[in-house]
Amino acid sequence: MIKSVSKAEKIKGIISLPGDKSISHRAMLLNAMSNGSALISNFCHGDDRSAMINCLNGLGVNIEKIQSNDSEYPNDTFLVEGNSNGDFSIPTRVLDAGNSGTTFRLVSGLLATQNFESTISGDNSLRNRPMGRIIQPLTKMGALITGMKDNSFAPLKIRGGNLSGIEYTMPVASAQVKSCIMIAGTKASGSTTIIQPKVSRDHTERMLKAMGAKISINNLTVEIKRSNLSALDVTVPGDISGAAFWMVLASCHPNASITLKRVGLNPSRTGIIEVLKMMGANIKLSNVVEEAGEPCGDIEIQSSELTGVDIEGEIIPRVIDEIPILALAACFAKGQTIIKDAEELRIKESDRISATVNGLSKLGATLTETNDGMVISGNAKLIGAPVDTFNDHRIAMTMGIAGVLADGTTEINRSEANMISYPSFWEQLSIVTGELEVSAH
Ligand code: S3P
């Protein structure tokens, strides 16, 4: 579907975000492995939600959508029944993780603990994303795994059970890989030690700890021992990766004020706030509280004058999903922005370096691709043009925000890609822009 988005004169609004995708997936899967039942409120929206639920249903997990008493989250509450830390049912079909890398890699960790053979696959994009990174450690732990194309791509056939703990030095900083190994580690004999090259999101560590797992963390090293998990009710905070689009919109627009309610503020995810503040953004946090081991609070953003910065090194894994929208912010900043060390972007739902450069160039920005990032000239004057999302939700939303900031009208091809993580995105965009004309053909 092509969506037309036009320049907005004013940006104003209070926005509630869908539940954080990373925390939602972990809450569902770890509770399915626990010894009781748990309520998960403000569960994430979109097709990635269905991917996790379908895979767990395929393993015999009971998940029920319920009407919650929590007036803030009446519609997005699920009751998950744990399997008493025991065996799951043998799936009678291929488990389909759709477009969701997190579902695929976390569920693979669970399959490695089960004493039967099962197959997990996904859509075309997911079948082209590297799975050698989970096959290698899970095989070392004792799982038997076969995949496609040199044994490195989905679909994967996994026969698990009888795992032994390992010490594993991760070649790349990936929270999905780290979580996959930790999930397998909860059922392995001995202890499993993971050494990360850089800090990546630590939602799994926090949730496992809150569920009573034997886990210890020392800087970049995580150690987990065989554990029984206690069910844990989780109220999922709003997704900071979704909030990033509004933060950049309000920062770059000359007449803007946006408040984002109850957003997750885990330090392993707040790289976006740190980078925007370094660029000079006007961002204030308030009402910060902790829920189920995760900090969350409100974020208020006003118009600001941004300056280009270098984004590289340690912060990259903490801002990895926000780089496309940060590239847009850099187009409006004074001076140059250089993004390095972000080669992982090339193997996300699309090649996000090339998709971002393609779209923003069409709108008149001056930016170039490098192997591991981009070089972006600031002070751009964007002018609406036809652009594509490459079927990637984060590129779709980046192009939507670019369309509101550009002169004229931007036509976004395959705009429905937002359905993966943020179904209400276009509607909320039309609300905050007031007179914005959003028309679908
Ligand atoms: C995620 C980890 C990141 C991120 C993805 C969600 C997670 O991927 O890009 O959107 O929930 O663990 P990698 O682990 O591949 O870096």
Side-chain angles (χ1 to χ4, degrees), residues 22 26 102 105 174-176 201 320-321 348:
S22 295
R26 287 154 172 85
T102 308
R105 295 190 175 116
S174 160
Q176 291 178 359
R201 64 194 69 189
I320 193 73
D321 290 341
K348 295 292 178 188

Side-chain angles (χ1 to χ4, degrees), residues 263-332:
V263 183
L265 295 172
N266 179 318
S268 64
R269 296 286 296 285
T270 48
I272 175 71
I273 298 179
E274 289 164 45
V275 174
L276 283 174
K277 279 192 169 169
M278 247 162 35
M279 295 175 85
N282 191 347
I283 300 181
K284 287 194 194 86
L285 307 183
S286 58
N287 301 324
V288 179
V289 292
E290 191 151 316
E291 278 178 21
E294 291 279 349
C296 74
D298 299 341
I299 307 178
E300 201 185 309
I301 316 108
Q302 315 273 352
S303 312
S304 55
E305 304 255 306
L306 301 182
T307 305
V309 288
D310 290 352
I311 309 170
E312 62 188 316
E314 166 280 326
I315 202 160
I316 294 292
R318 298 194 297 115
V319 77
I320 193 73
D321 290 341
E322 291 70 66
I323 289 179
I325 191 66
L326 271 174
L328 173 64
C331 294
F332 286 93

Side-chain angles (χ1 to χ4, degrees), residues 20-23 25-26 48 101-103 105-106 129-130 133 170 172-179 200-204 241 269 317 319-322 344-345 347-349 352 393-394:
D20 185 274
K21 201 149 68 78
S22 295
I23 299 175
H25 284 316
R26 287 154 172 85
D48 276 7
T102 308
T103 300
R105 295 190 175 116
L106 270 54
R129 295 177 67 185
R133 52 182 60 196
M170 293 175 56
V172 284
S174 160
Q176 291 178 359
V177 175
K178 174 176 61 171
S179 302
S200 63
R201 64 194 69 189
D202 66 355
H203 307 300
T204 311
S241 297
R269 296 286 296 285
V319 77
I320 193 73
D321 290 341
E322 291 70 66
E344 279 288 302
L345 284 179
I347 48 168
K348 295 292 178 188
E349 287 84 326
R352 287 186 177 155
H393 55 134
R394 302 212 190 277

